[in-house]
Amino acid sequence: MTSPVIPPGSFAKDWTAFTGLSGDRILFYSASRAGGVVCSVDDDNNIADVTPIPNGSFAPDWTEVIALSGDRLLFYGKSQGRGVVCSIDDGNNIADVTVIPPRSFATDWTEVSALRPQESHLRVGRSAAMHHA
């Protein structure tokens, strides 16, 4: 079976960031429109369930969008050292918005990422601890 090829022109040319969510979903963000799209990728690698996030729903100055646990996202704005943490629920709605004021972050960060422990490592660690008890 061949993987589908997504034809040129299928995506907007102004996506400035994208990040994964649970359930094979992806958030695309456009700084020029301050909007986005949440979509999913099905088992056959086709784009499905496209939910637009209206223009103006986001700030236009986010330079990084980082996936956190539990479908939470961190938006970082380098120009003012500010951010927002929010969640995207299973219905692709923005919820639980927490504003992080200007100057809370450094303004010279070039990349922001989330650190997650490897689950296999955690399972091995618990298992080893239990065997020594």
Side-chain angles (χ1 to χ4, degrees):
M1 179 170 106
T2 62
S3 296
V5 174
I6 300 172
S10 296
F11 292 106
K13 294 179 181 179
D14 65 343
W15 297 132
T16 52
F18 56 92
T19 192
L21 300 167
S22 69
D24 295 327
R25 294 179 304 148
I26 304 168
L27 168 76
F28 291 87
Y29 162 73
S30 167
S32 63
R33 290 183 280 130
V37 166
V38 175
C39 66
S40 62
V41 178
D42 67 20
D43 290 341
D44 293 323
N45 296 328
N46 297 302
I47 303 292
D49 302 323
V50 177
T51 304
I53 297 175
N55 295 342
S57 296
F58 295 123
D61 65 334
W62 300 134
T63 50
E64 296 280 331
V65 180
I66 302 93
L68 305 171
S69 63
D71 286 335
R72 291 177 305 134
L73 300 169
L74 169 66
F75 291 82
Y76 163 68
K78 180 177 184 172
S79 65
Q80 296 182 38
R82 68 188 191 100
V84 163
V85 175
C86 69
S87 64
I88 306 276
D89 66 20
D90 290 341
N92 297 334
N93 301 299
I94 300 170
D96 304 321
V97 177
T98 301
V99 174
I100 301 168
R103 295 178 303 282
S104 294
F105 295 128
T107 57
D108 62 348
W109 292 346
T110 55
E111 186 173 327
V112 179
S113 71
L115 298 175
R116 294 187 183 103
Q118 293 179 345
E119 289 192 32
S120 61
H121 175 71
L122 290 176
R123 277 189 227 114
V124 170
R126 284 189 205 131
S127 177
M130 291 173 65
H131 286 261
H132 294 296

